[in-house]
Amino acid sequence: PFAELKNLTESRIKRMSGCYLVLTQWDEERESLVNLLQARDIPVTVFLLTALESALWSFPEFVTPLPVHDVASRLAS
């Protein structure tokens, strides 16, 4: 469960200087984890794997949608 990742992150947050998250969905639970990190002034970048070429919704600036069929070339650029 995602709650376990959040609990683990909270227990080690004092050791963190930055965070990359690779996610397969974006929801309130994941946004809550990002908000927690940002509240502690920890830079966060989120890569959101998606089957859609272009998202039908907007994401915060730190979220980068990555189409699953094109991950390698998107990360290379």
Side-chain angles (χ1 to χ4, degrees):
F2 192 81
E4 289 181 27
L5 176 62
K6 185 175 180 186
N7 291 339
L8 182 64
T9 303
E10 286 180 290
S11 71
R12 292 182 168 84
I13 203 162
K14 291 181 181 181
R15 299 181 200 173
M16 298 177 73
S17 60
C19 184
Y20 288 106
L21 292 171
V22 179
L23 304 173
T24 57
Q25 65 184 32
W26 183 250
D27 57 18
E28 289 180 11
E29 192 174 28
R30 283 145 183 83
E31 188 171 14
S32 173
L33 174 60
V34 171
N35 290 338
L36 170 73
L37 293 165
Q38 290 177 330
R40 301 284 180 93
D41 294 322
I42 296 171
V44 180
T45 299
V46 176
F47 296 102
L48 180 63
L49 299 175
T50 177
L52 302 174
E53 175 61 33
S54 60
L56 301 175
W57 53 91
S58 61
F59 296 106
E61 65 182 35
F62 52 83
V63 175
T64 302
L66 293 174
V68 292
H69 67 277
D70 198 24
V71 171
S73 66
R74 295 287 177 103
L75 290 177
S77 60

